[in-house]
């Protein structure tokens, strides 16, 4: 193929992804020096369109970034008033009292927010400071300099032919060069994955671990709505099949966020995370809350769960990984937005100092030190054993030993366990289908529970059919030759958007990829046992269009 000619634009810092990490970095850079040229590129049709969190926001990141956020009208309108934690059985529930919980689990002082709306507001703040933000611009490639450093990205490629080649309607996009490139793509970012592999950034660290989080927004009967109430559950329906649990957050306007997370290190390939979520809503406690209401939105996104011991090295020449491109979620708290913001601030401060010293294209070592030894490292270190304890010994042990470990870490800064390892990655954790029983899931009733395709229509996702499939199979035969006989091809079940199907054609099984349904959760890139699926970014503007997720 002939070399593609592209225009190039020069910036001080190029930021990929307008989530809390990327926007915080942009804002801090301009706060430090109004003359810096900063650009943020976002693949969603608008800022917030691809943002999916619970979300209970710990405001410590925002406090550090914009201390007068309240006066500036930040959409943090619902303070947490009540915090409940339940262990569920099939028909009943046991409330776990708050007093044995370590203080870090307390949600007092936090806010129930739409992170999509928080990001929209942050983008306004950034633009007022002079940051250039381009939504609908997917960054599809990295640009490397002569010394092997990352010097920019390619963004804004549109209208490729179905086979990925350039045709008469292809817009080749442009190169955006920066003295530093920040990758704030969130969990399992496609460019971040390339950088981690190319520079060996995961070497010597534990593998990253993940969960799949699914979420619906419900409008419920005002008589049942309790603004500011946060409820978490564990136990049924997952039982011992997988780690995970639910969240139910009452925001304003009689709306409730109902969500479910399944840890992706589950062994049984028959497990169907989406159906576990649907089944969960039939628990009497949840059904009672939702009955008479209606689901108004649906979405899904992977969540990073490896924490402290899985954070890769986060800098290489010319590039820094921010937020969940590194994996900064505090798992027992299910919170990563505050750390994403703090990482944006830290990366901005390191880049500002480097640029002021006349540097460019090198490693922002100060950023890495800040993350590991500062507020983010401290937040994650205290809880580093909760996930490995759960994976090894199950939910009850993780509650007891994990709770004890969080107490000793919080009070004395020590752990009797040291730092436990995560072991295998989530793809390797999958065991043969023959070793496990199939799970019988009840049919969705269309009132409390819904089939996947109906729900996906509430994510308002869209991908132009004429575009190349952005879910690339290294070996197109593997799903049928390997995954189907060995694992009953779990892609049929782990994808929360029904992208992958096995259909029968001429009496033979065929693997179908309905990429139009994709909600950009990245689970396939993580969980495929053959590691045969690579999620690459489709053209800008494609994907979900979340309202106030
Ligand atoms: C179900 C669920 C519940 C959660 N609940 C909470 C909670 O209650 N509280 C909390 O604090 N945290 C919660 N989290 C974690 C939180 O969502 C993350 O920690 C946070 O989103 C990380 O922010 P980020 O900026 O790193 O990435 P993201 O918020 O994922 O933002 C990344 C942005 O980059 C864009 N992007 C990605 N790749 C490209 C590309 N190549 N080109 C252009 N744009 C790109 C994406 O479209 C997106 O807008 C939850 C996560 C999940 C999945």
């Amino acid at each position: 193929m002939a070399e593609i000619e592209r225009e190039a634009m020069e910036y001080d810092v190029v930021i990929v992804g307008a989530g809390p990490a990327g926007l915080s970095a942009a804002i801090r850079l301009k706060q430090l020096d109004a003359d810096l040229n900063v650009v943020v590129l976002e693949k969603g049709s608008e800022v917030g369109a691809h943002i999916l969190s619970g979300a209970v926001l710990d405001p410590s990141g925002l406090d550090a970034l914009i201390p007068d956020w309240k006066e500036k009208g930040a959409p943090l309108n619902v303070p947490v008033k009540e915090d409940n934690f339940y262990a569920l059985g099939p028909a009943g529930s046991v409330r776990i009292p708050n007093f044995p919980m370590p203080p870090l689990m307390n949600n007092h002082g936090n806010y129930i927010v739409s992170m999509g709306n928080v990001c929209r507001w942050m983008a306004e703040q950034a633009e007022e400071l002079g940051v250039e933000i381009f939504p609908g611009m997917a960054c599809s490639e990295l640009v490397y300099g002569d010394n092997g450093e990352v010097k920019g990205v390619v963004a804004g490629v549109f209208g490729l032919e179905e086979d990925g080649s350039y045709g008469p309607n292809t817009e080749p996009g442009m190169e955006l060069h920066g003295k530093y490139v920040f990758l704030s793509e969130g969990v399992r970012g496609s460019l971040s994955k390339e950088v981690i592999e190319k520079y060996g950034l995961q070497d010597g660290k534990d593998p990253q671990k993940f969960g799949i989080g699914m979420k619906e927004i419900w409008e419920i009967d005002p008589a049942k709505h309790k603004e500011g109430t946060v409820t978490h559950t564990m136990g049924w329906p997952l039982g011992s099949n997988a780690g995970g649990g639910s969240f139910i957050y009452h925001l304003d306007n009689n709306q409730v966020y109902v969500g479910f997370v399944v840890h992706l290190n589950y062994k049984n390939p028959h497990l169907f995370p989406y159906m576990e979520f649907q089944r969960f809503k039939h628990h009497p406690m949840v059904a009672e809350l939702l009955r008479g209401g209606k689901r108004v939105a649906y979405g899904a996104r992977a969540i990073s769960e490896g924490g402290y011991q899985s954070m890769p090295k986060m800098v290489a020449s010319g590039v820094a990984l921010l937020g969940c491109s590194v994996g900064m979620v505090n798992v027992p708290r299910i919170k990563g937005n505050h750390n994403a913001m703090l990482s944006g601030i830290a990366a901005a401060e390191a880049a500002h100092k480097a640029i002021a010293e006349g540097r460019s294209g090198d490693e922002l070592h100060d950023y890495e030190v800040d993350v590991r030894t500062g507020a983010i490292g401290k937040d994650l270190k205290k809880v580093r054993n909760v996930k490995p304890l759960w994976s090894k010994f199950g939910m009850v042990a993780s509650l007891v030993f994990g709770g004890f470990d969080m107490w000793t870490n919080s009070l004395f800064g020590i752990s009797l366990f040291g730092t436990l390892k995560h072991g295998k990655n989530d793809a390797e954790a999958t065991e043969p289908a023959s070793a496990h029983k199939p799970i019988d899931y009840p049919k969705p009733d269309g009132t409390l529970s819904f089939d996947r395709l109906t729900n996906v229509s509430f994510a308002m996702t869209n991908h132009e059919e004429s575009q190349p499939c952005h879910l690339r199979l290294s070996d197109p035969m593997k799903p049928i030759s390997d995954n189907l006989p060995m694992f009953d091809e779990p892609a049929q079940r782990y994808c929360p958007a029904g992208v992958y199907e096995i259909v029968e054609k001429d009496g033979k099984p065929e693997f179908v990829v309905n990429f139009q349904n994709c909600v950009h959760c990245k689970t396939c890139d993580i969980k495929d046992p053959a590691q045969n699926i690579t999620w690459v970014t489709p053209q800008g503007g494609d994907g979900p269009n979340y309202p106030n997720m």
Side-chain angles (χ1 to χ4, degrees):
M1 191 166 63
E3 190 127 320
I4 312 292
E5 295 254 327
R6 293 190 175 98
E7 269 182 52
M9 287 178 76
E10 304 295 328
Y11 288 89
D12 289 306
V13 182
V14 173
I15 301 176
V16 179
L23 290 167
S24 299
I27 291 170
R28 181 56 114 224
L29 281 163
K30 295 296 272 187
Q31 288 171 337
L32 290 166
D33 183 350
D35 291 333
L36 287 174
N37 288 322
V38 181
V39 66
V40 180
L41 303 147
E42 168 55 49
K43 68 180 162 62
S45 59
E46 52 150 353
V47 172
H50 290 182
I51 295 293
L52 188 138
S53 286
V56 173
L57 179 67
D58 166 349
S60 56
L62 200 54
D63 288 341
L65 184 69
I66 307 178
D68 56 346
W69 53 262
K70 227 173 229 167
E71 292 73 37
K72 289 196 158 131
L76 277 65
N77 304 319
V78 182
V80 175
K81 292 186 196 138
E82 197 184 314
D83 220 352
N84 305 309
F85 191 46
Y86 291 93
L88 299 188
S93 60
V94 177
R95 170 118 195 244
I96 300 177
N98 292 352
F99 70 84
M101 302 264 187
L104 64 89
M105 295 296 285
N106 188 343
N107 273 312
H108 223 80
N110 297 332
Y111 293 82
I112 301 174
V113 298
S114 151
M115 271 316 288
N117 287 345
V118 171
C119 288
R120 289 178 185 104
W121 175 85
M122 289 176 77
E124 284 167 20
Q125 307 307 305
E127 280 178 331
E128 276 175 23
L129 292 168
V131 175
E132 290 176 40
I133 302 184
F134 297 120
M137 290 283 272
C139 301
S140 47
E141 284 174 51
L142 290 160
V143 179
Y144 294 98
D146 295 338
N147 301 316
E149 81 282 13
V150 174
K151 82 164 191 196
V153 294
V154 173
V157 179
F158 288 96
L160 289 169
E161 297 288 293
E162 216 172 319
D163 63 0
S165 64
Y166 280 63
N169 298 320
T170 304
E171 291 174 32
M174 57 197 315
E175 288 191 8
L176 296 103
H177 298 167
K179 291 175 180 149
Y180 295 98
V181 174
F182 288 177
L183 298 180
S184 43
E185 300 177 285
V187 185
R188 198 69 161 196
S190 44
L191 301 182
S192 311
K193 188 176 162 190
E194 179 178 326
V195 161
I196 290 170
E197 280 168 13
K198 181 178 168 72
Y199 297 105
L201 302 184
Q202 201 70 42
D203 295 354
K205 318 280 189 229
D206 274 17
Q208 186 52 270
K209 305 291 283 182
F210 302 90
I212 172 65
M214 297 148 286
K215 174 177 167 188
E216 294 171 354
I217 306 181
W218 279 72
E219 274 167 20
I220 62 162
D221 177 354
K224 299 178 191 170
H225 187 255
K226 284 169 75 184
E227 188 173 304
T229 300
V230 164
T231 300
H232 290 111
T233 75
M234 282 175 158
W236 191 86
L238 288 173
S240 57
N241 279 329
S246 83
F247 57 89
I248 302 175
Y249 302 153
H250 291 240
L251 59 162
D252 44 8
N253 301 321
N254 299 319
Q255 288 198 330
V256 178
Y257 292 142
V258 184
F260 202 81
V261 176
V262 177
H263 300 178
L264 283 175
N265 60 355
Y266 62 83
K267 296 176 184 164
N268 180 351
H270 299 295
L271 192 102
F272 198 154
Y274 174 84
M275 292 305 288
E276 296 286 346
F277 175 32
Q278 296 309 304
R279 186 148 76 146
F280 156 75
K281 289 181 287 169
H282 287 271
H283 188 277
M285 189 179 97
V286 188
E288 163 57 23
L289 177 75
L290 300 181
R291 215 172 287 287
K294 63 172 183 192
R295 169 271 277 111
V296 293
Y298 167 75
R301 183 81 171 97
I303 180 167
S304 62
E305 294 186 340
Y308 190 74
Q309 51 274 59
S310 296
M311 283 196 293
K313 183 179 174 201
M314 48 205 98
V315 292
S317 299
V319 66
L321 305 175
L322 276 58
C324 278
S325 288
V326 174
M328 296 183 176
V329 171
N330 179 317
V331 173
R333 297 179 75 204
I334 334 180
K335 286 185 186 59
N337 287 306
H338 62 301
N339 285 337
M341 291 180 188
L342 291 171
S343 78
I345 295 172
E349 289 175 351
H352 167 254
K353 180 170 167 250
I355 293 169
E357 290 168 359
R359 288 163 44 200
S360 69
D362 58 359
E363 290 192 7
L364 292 172
H365 178 66
D366 288 356
Y367 166 58
E368 174 113 16
V369 172
D370 191 329
V371 171
R372 292 195 187 273
T373 60
I376 300 171
K378 290 191 176 98
D379 184 51
L380 298 180
K381 197 170 180 193
K382 281 182 204 149
V383 301
R384 65 193 182 282
N385 290 324
V386 175
K387 164 91 181 176
L389 280 168
W390 191 331
S391 306
K392 285 188 178 70
F393 304 114
M395 180 187 83
V396 176
S398 112
L399 273 175
V400 177
F401 298 128
F404 174 74
D405 197 52
M406 285 192 282
W407 268 113
T408 60
N409 271 295
S410 303
L411 291 176
F412 313 114
I414 51 156
S415 165
L416 297 184
F417 299 105
T419 299
L420 295 173
K421 293 209 156 291
H422 285 303
K424 297 175 189 161
N425 70 33
D426 293 331
E428 292 162 349
T430 317
E431 293 181 347
S434 56
H436 294 273
K437 283 200 186 114
I439 305 172
D440 193 18
Y441 290 101
K443 252 179 108 106
D445 70 354
T447 309
L448 290 175
S449 49
F450 311 98
D451 67 74
R452 246 184 325 188
L453 291 187
T454 306
N455 237 355
V456 169
S457 68
F458 284 76
M460 285 151 292
T461 195
N462 174 53
H463 294 83
E464 268 188 40
E465 304 232 353
S466 59
Q467 283 298 289
C469 175
H470 64 280
L471 303 156
R472 296 200 182 144
L473 301 177
S474 309
D475 176 352
M477 303 312 292
K478 257 195 178 149
I480 299 299
S481 63
D482 294 22
N483 280 359
L484 188 58
M486 180 75 103
F487 302 105
D488 192 24
E489 183 45 285
Q492 303 176 82
R493 292 171 294 280
Y494 62 60
C495 172
V499 166
Y500 302 101
E501 278 181 288
I502 302 282
V503 297
E504 209 176 284
K505 201 169 166 203
D506 304 328
K508 290 192 179 137
E510 193 178 282
F511 189 61
V512 176
V513 183
N514 303 301
F515 72 89
Q516 298 84 354
N517 292 354
C518 176
V519 292
H520 297 196
C521 76
K522 319 270 175 86
T523 303
C524 51
D525 194 294
I526 297 164
K527 186 63 178 167
D528 177 31
Q531 285 292 274
N532 188 41
I533 304 175
T534 301
W535 191 101
V536 298
T537 189
Q539 68 180 19
D542 282 1
N545 284 286
Y546 295 137
N548 58 333
M549 278 290 194

